[in-house]
Amino acid sequence: GTQGARVVITDLLGEIAADYEVRFKTVNEAKKEGYQEQSPAMWWDAAVKALSCCITKIGNLKKNICTLSIDGTSGTVVALDREFEELYPGIMYNDSRAVPETERIRLYAGNLERVLGYRVNASFGLPKMLWLNEHLGGRVAYFIHQSDYICGKLTNEYLVTDYSNALKSCYDLTEDRWPGFMSGLGLD
């Protein structure tokens, strides 16, 4: 999330067996006005601590854990290199730097906006991806979302996302695909 990592372990009926929260030491590491950034390493450290505390609380029951769900702030983006290392702090959903990139996307996304019933704005992931792509000089190999980062750290599989996160990266939910206009923006 924005302010910390939370873990809840429940049984199949939703009864809480353990829960734990680790608050982030800082909510915004950015130095510029309008920028909102956090360290993905901070997310990971907090998630590990919260997971460890919950697993300790349930003791021997840990062998019965069968499913893990990961949630994060939709619209938060991390740029990775080919080795899946972060190139820049995570740009949070509430970061407003990518207004020019948003306007560029809106030139292409009119039909998608009509179909999905929303307007692309600077809180979306795609404008942040364009900003990162333009400011990191082609070093970006992958863009992922906050929950994808945690999933990648847990499983070493970084290239899978959930369409509810990808929605703010202009994933077309009606067609279940990325829109064709991505290449016109310089993204594949």
Side-chain angles (χ1 to χ4, degrees):
T2 304
Q3 298 184 4
R6 293 165 291 284
V7 172
V8 178
I9 298 176
T10 68
D11 65 17
L12 294 175
L13 299 175
E15 294 296 320
I16 295 174
D19 64 330
Y20 197 83
E21 178 179 3
V22 176
R23 307 276 299 169
F24 296 145
K25 290 184 173 118
T26 180
V27 174
N28 183 16
E29 297 175 354
K31 305 297 184 226
K32 286 188 174 181
E33 187 173 333
Y35 284 34
Q36 297 288 321
E37 300 171 352
Q38 289 183 349
S39 163
M42 176 181 68
W43 302 335
W44 175 241
D45 291 345
V48 167
K49 182 174 182 181
L51 278 166
S52 296
C53 288
C54 281
I55 288 172
T56 298
K57 283 183 181 181
I58 63 169
N60 288 335
L61 295 176
K62 67 185 174 196
K63 66 179 178 271
N64 296 327
I65 294 175
C66 60
T67 303
L68 177 66
S69 296
I70 303 169
D71 189 17
T73 56
S74 179
T76 296
V77 173
V78 179
L80 301 177
D81 66 16
R82 295 210 179 281
E83 286 75 44
F84 305 108
E85 297 296 325
E86 312 92 60
L87 294 169
Y88 195 86
I91 300 181
M92 301 300 290
Y93 67 94
N94 55 348
D95 184 286
S96 62
R97 77 183 75 184
V99 171
E101 291 79 7
T102 301
E103 295 307 316
R104 205 166 109 218
I105 293 164
R106 297 206 67 242
L107 295 174
Y108 292 89
N111 186 52
L112 183 66
E113 289 177 322
R114 280 187 294 283
V115 169
L116 296 180
Y118 64 68
R119 286 178 52 102
V120 175
N121 64 59
S123 74
F124 278 43
L126 187 56
K128 294 168 183 65
M129 292 174 190
L130 284 183
W131 187 93
L132 285 160
N133 205 42
E134 292 166 3
H135 286 83
L136 295 179
R139 298 182 341 208
V140 180
Y142 310 105
F143 295 106
I144 63 172
H145 300 94
Q146 185 181 45
S147 59
D148 305 331
Y149 180 81
I150 299 300
C151 183
K153 294 295 274 184
L154 287 167
T155 66
N156 207 32
E157 176 56 71
Y158 290 87
L159 304 182
V160 175
T161 194
D162 176 86
Y163 59 79
S164 64
N165 277 327
L167 173 70
K168 286 194 174 179
S169 299
C170 291
Y171 188 78
D172 186 341
L173 295 175
T174 61
E175 298 291 326
D176 195 23
R177 65 178 174 83
W178 293 102
F181 66 74
M182 298 294 258
S183 60
L185 295 169
L187 300 173
D188 86 29

